[in-house]
């Protein structure tokens, strides 16, 4: 670190980043994924079932995973699991 204008210069990012595969639910009529990110393909599959669309597919891509994205992916997975259980039971 070095001092510039009396301020301490940051040594790096405060966010932990890790390359990881994230899963999404896409549809051929849309350019961007409709649901996601998800940490697991199983959660993305639940999202596909919740959409109830024959054209929906699970896709994946490599991305850097920071704390914010990880939180969203975990939250998205929990939400679609709850909705998928409702679709199966009702």
């Amino acid at each position: 670190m070095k001092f510039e204008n009396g301020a301490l210069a940051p040594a790096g990012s405060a966010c932990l980043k890790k390359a990881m595969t994230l899963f999404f639910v896409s549809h051929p009529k849309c350019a961007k994924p409709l649901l996601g990110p998800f940490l697991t393909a199983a959660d993305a599959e639940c999202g596909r079932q919740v959409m109830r669309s024959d054209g929906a597919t699970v896709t994946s891509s490599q991305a850097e995973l920071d704390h914010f994205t990880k939180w969203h992916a975990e939250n998205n997975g929990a939400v679609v699991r709850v909705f998928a259980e409702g679709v199966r039971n009702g």
Side-chain angles (χ1 to χ4, degrees):
M1 290 192 211
K2 75 180 198 183
F3 289 94
E4 292 182 26
N5 300 327
L8 193 58
S13 175
C15 295
L16 175 66
K17 292 185 179 181
K18 178 181 175 185
M20 186 169 191
T21 301
L22 295 176
F23 298 90
F24 301 87
V25 178
S26 301
H27 195 278
K29 292 184 179 180
C30 297
K32 294 183 177 182
L34 298 173
L35 294 176
F38 299 101
L39 293 176
T40 66
D43 287 346
E45 181 61 27
C46 287
R48 190 191 66 76
Q49 292 172 1
V50 167
M51 283 184 57
R52 297 182 183 185
S53 176
D54 292 334
T57 59
V58 173
T59 59
S60 65
S61 66
Q62 287 284 328
E64 284 189 356
L65 190 65
D66 59 11
H67 294 293
F68 185 70
T69 305
K70 184 175 187 280
W71 178 84
H72 271 286
E74 289 171 348
N75 189 50
N76 289 342
V79 169
V80 296
R81 283 192 300 271
V82 169
F83 276 100
E85 188 64 32
V87 168
R88 289 183 206 119
N89 293 334

